[in-house]
Amino acid sequence: MFNKAITFLLSAEKSLNQFNQKTRNEVEKYANRQVKKTAIVCFGVGVLVGFGVTKLL
């Protein structure tokens, strides 16, 4: 009886670890894409603001 419970819990732990790793990988992929998009947008806005400031001076 206890052997079955221990085996079940160990297999559940392995499954959760695999799911956790997959989730981490997906979050990391999404975060990397968001960082790239944010960098591009901030650069573009910075260039536009820079040109705007130079035109005003």
Side-chain angles (χ1 to χ4, degrees):
M1 178 71 179
F2 288 117
N3 197 15
K4 287 183 181 180
I6 291 171
T7 304
F8 172 75
L9 291 174
L10 289 176
S11 67
E13 180 189 14
K14 287 179 185 176
S15 297
L16 286 174
N17 285 337
Q18 289 172 349
F19 176 75
N20 193 17
Q21 187 61 41
K22 183 178 178 182
T23 303
R24 284 183 185 171
N25 290 342
E26 291 298 318
V27 167
E28 188 175 316
K29 256 196 292 187
Y30 179 74
N32 287 341
R33 280 189 263 151
Q34 287 301 102
V35 168
K36 288 177 186 175
K37 289 178 186 177
T38 302
I40 291 169
V41 169
C42 288
F43 176 76
V45 170
V47 168
L48 291 175
V49 168
F51 281 134
V53 168
T54 57
K55 294 291 182 183
L56 291 174
L57 297 176

